[in-house]
Amino acid sequence: MTVQERYEAARKMYADVGVDTDAAIAKLKEIPVSLHCWQGDDVTGFDHDGPLTGGIQTTGNYPGKAKTPEQLMQDMEEAMSLMPGKKKLNLHASYAIFEKGEFADRDKLEPKHFRKWVDFAKKHHVGIDFNPTFFSHDKVKDGLTLTSPDEETRKFWIEHGKACIRISQYFAEQTGVPCVMNIWTGDGFKDIPADRMGPRVRYKESIDAILSEPFDTNLVKPCVESKVFGIGVEAYTVGSAEFSLSYAAMNKDKCLPLMDNGHYHPLEYVSDKIPAMLCFYPEFALHITRGVRWDSDHVLILDDETKEMAKEIVRDNALDRVYMALDYFDASINRVSALATGFRSWQKALLIALCTPNAMLKALQDTNQMSKLMVMNEAVKMLPIGEIWDEYLRREGVVDDLHFYDEIEKYENEVLEKRN
Ligand code: RNT
Ligand code: ZN
């Protein structure tokens, strides 16, 4: 049977439970998902030689890592060719591209240092999201940036944040797509602090200072990302969940909260936080990742929580209120494969959500038919979503799951292996 014949049979099964799979496919390909450049080179960037700091870590040394902007763009292009759906590019400030002999420190970055990324985005008709890089730099003092007790240090990083606001506005103006600019620092302490409040007061004042830089709130969407702990900063994180939620709530006119689902205790679920947020925030942002035990940032796969998060956004009609970005990094496997696998996994989760008879299930809940709800939930899981997925890939002109790795292998042989 052809993909289309199998799809036709599956389409009818979904129609029987009130789901329009053609509409689901049409919708899915218009949902922008932000693709992070930093999986391509183990969060290294182009503006420093030092180690990765900030309480995040990549492990592994898989061959073929991108070492230049050209290589990173080439790898991202390859990965994008293996992804259905609409993309957005997610950059970190450390990925500034300098001309030969040119250098600008983070506090002096300008739009021109990202012109090549804008060209890349235009070539692929995508918008750009941005992140100031508050780590992997010698001006991180004693593990602190925006929250440092040292005024010079704080000033440097505030200037960096402001420079990034200007660059974000430039991205939005150039691409015609608003730029989500995410503030995340790894500031914190390995062991029990003597002062928990001081750093948080300084963090608040520093973000205030960054956001005092003028910008068009329709074009630039600053957010603050929270975290529970990092590697080497186990005892205390300045930008905790309460801190960033409260900051965003108090500065609704110009700041959104960002939740990374790897940044909570293992039994806390972002899928349950999403509807709570939707009651109060007109818009917010997500980092979609996979936590494993104590760490965030494994490559996204189609696991239960991934599906549940997508379901929550879709059934709450919030696709245009939630900015979705992927965030993970694994240096132990083929990085192009990692980029594409994570993106495809989120697309699958969204497709499942769009093909779920949400109205019917909700009606069962609202009429307290909880036994039937459980039975129907289990029944829906067995509907032939794979046929819908294959048809979606066919319509998008993207290789199917079983043959996707052949493309990776080919690229590894032809391009990545030659880099070493
Ligand atoms: C780290 C945060 C942060 C980073 C990126 C590189 O735990 O999730 O978002 O992953 O900024
Ligand atoms: Zn994150």
Side-chain angles (χ1 to χ4, degrees):
M1 262 207 279
T2 65
V3 171
Q4 283 141 289
E5 285 162 352
R6 287 193 284 114
Y7 173 72
E8 206 34 52
R11 191 184 65 75
K12 290 196 184 106
M13 291 174 72
Y14 275 96
D16 284 346
V17 291
V19 171
D20 180 344
T21 53
D22 284 325
I25 289 174
K27 177 102 201 165
L28 178 54
K29 66 178 194 196
E30 294 308 324
I31 304 169
V33 177
S34 204
L35 182 68
H36 56 313
C37 71
W38 53 91
Q39 164 63 73
D41 75 337
D42 314 339
V43 209
T44 306
F46 307 126
D47 75 340
H48 68 101
D49 299 319
L52 175 58
T53 68
I56 51 177
Q57 226 167 53
T58 55
T59 51
N61 193 18
Y62 200 83
K65 165 175 161 170
K67 296 204 182 79
T68 64
E70 294 70 31
Q71 290 179 352
L72 184 56
M73 286 181 197
Q74 187 187 11
D75 291 355
M76 292 190 79
E77 252 166 24
E78 173 66 16
M80 289 194 291
S81 76
L82 302 171
M83 300 167 185
K86 188 166 173 168
K87 291 110 200 150
K88 205 174 173 189
L89 184 62
N90 205 357
L91 299 178
H92 244 284
S94 52
Y95 290 79
I97 302 176
F98 302 116
E99 299 297 331
K100 261 204 181 67
E102 182 195 28
F103 178 74
D105 210 349
R106 300 237 175 115
D107 59 333
K108 301 262 159 39
L109 285 172
E110 290 176 50
K112 68 172 184 197
H113 302 124
F114 294 87
R115 193 178 296 138
K116 289 196 176 138
W117 283 114
V118 166
D119 293 343
F120 182 78
K122 284 182 178 166
K123 177 177 170 199
H124 294 282
H125 309 286
V126 299
I128 306 178
D129 290 332
F130 199 44
N131 303 259
T133 312
F134 298 105
F135 53 83
S136 302
H137 191 280
D138 54 15
K139 291 253 164 49
V140 178
K141 191 166 189 275
D142 307 325
L144 304 176
T145 61
L146 291 174
T147 76
S148 170
D150 177 57
E151 199 183 329
E152 275 294 293
T153 301
R154 283 203 310 281
K155 255 177 98 184
F156 175 85
W157 290 109
I158 289 168
E159 286 311 313
H160 176 53
K162 289 181 168 183
C164 288
I165 295 253
R166 298 189 288 269
I167 294 162
S168 298
Q169 173 119 355
Y170 158 75
F171 285 153
E173 283 165 355
Q174 290 292 313
T175 62
V177 182
C179 173
V180 176
M181 191 197 93
N182 178 41
I183 295 173
W184 171 76
T185 80
D187 290 23
F189 294 107
K190 182 181 177 77
D191 224 322
I192 303 162
D195 176 14
R196 288 189 169 92
M197 186 170 163
R200 288 185 175 140
V201 170
R202 292 192 288 270
Y203 194 20
K204 175 178 176 293
E205 289 168 359
S206 292
I207 305 172
D208 285 346
I210 291 173
L211 299 185
S212 74
E213 178 71 20
F215 63 94
D216 180 341
T217 52
N218 294 312
L219 297 184
V220 182
K221 308 276 179 179
C223 354
V224 185
E225 175 181 13
S226 67
K227 193 166 180 178
V228 62
F229 76 94
I231 300 169
V233 268
E234 285 84 2
Y236 166 87
T237 292
V238 186
S240 60
E242 295 72 21
F243 177 92
S244 30
L245 277 188
S246 305
Y247 189 90
M250 300 302 286
N251 294 278
K252 256 186 175 164
D253 55 323
K254 52 177 176 184
C255 188
L256 318 180
L258 185 147
M259 293 188 151
D260 178 312
N261 66 297
H263 290 185
Y264 297 86
H265 285 284
L267 291 176
E268 269 186 85
Y269 294 113
V270 165
S271 53
D272 186 53
K273 299 178 191 296
I274 290 169
M277 305 280 287
L278 289 170
C279 296
F280 299 98
Y281 294 94
E283 294 183 319
F284 63 91
L286 285 183
H287 269 183
I288 303 159
T289 188
R290 175 165 53 109
V292 174
R293 301 193 191 278
W294 59 83
D295 202 10
S296 57
D297 301 321
H298 275 63
V299 178
L300 193 72
I301 55 172
L302 188 63
D303 59 15
D304 283 350
E305 175 58 0
T306 304
K307 290 186 226 173
E308 214 55 35
M309 284 192 293
K311 243 194 251 173
E312 207 53 59
I313 300 167
V314 167
R315 69 189 178 193
D316 298 339
N317 276 322
L319 281 166
D320 55 351
R321 294 172 58 191
V322 181
Y323 295 99
M324 299 170 236
L326 302 177
D327 180 17
Y328 53 78
F329 27 93
D330 189 337
S332 75
I333 56 174
N334 182 303
R335 296 167 186 83
V336 176
S337 173
L339 276 170
T341 301
F343 196 94
R344 289 168 75 110
S345 299
W346 185 243
Q347 290 276 306
K348 286 176 188 169
L350 288 170
L351 183 66
I352 291 171
L354 289 162
C355 290
T356 299
N358 292 311
M360 181 262 274
L361 297 171
K362 178 176 179 298
L364 292 174
Q365 174 178 321
D366 289 345
T367 50
N368 196 32
Q369 300 185 65
M370 302 311 274
S371 315
K372 187 170 178 188
L373 175 58
M374 185 188 280
V375 169
M376 293 314 284
N377 258 326
E378 292 304 291
V380 165
K381 286 183 189 168
M382 301 309 285
L383 288 171
I385 192 70
E387 315 295 2
I388 316 297
W389 172 248
D390 282 349
E391 173 64 6
Y392 173 52
L393 292 175
R394 192 193 66 78
R395 289 186 193 178
E396 285 285 275
V398 171
V399 62
D400 66 29
D401 282 357
L402 285 175
H403 299 94
F404 148 58
Y405 198 72
D406 299 345
E407 300 296 318
I408 298 285
E409 258 180 337
K410 203 167 131 222
Y411 187 72
E412 185 163 301
N413 293 335
E414 286 172 8
V415 179
L416 299 180
E417 273 177 9
K418 304 217 164 94
R419 279 183 194 162
N420 297 293

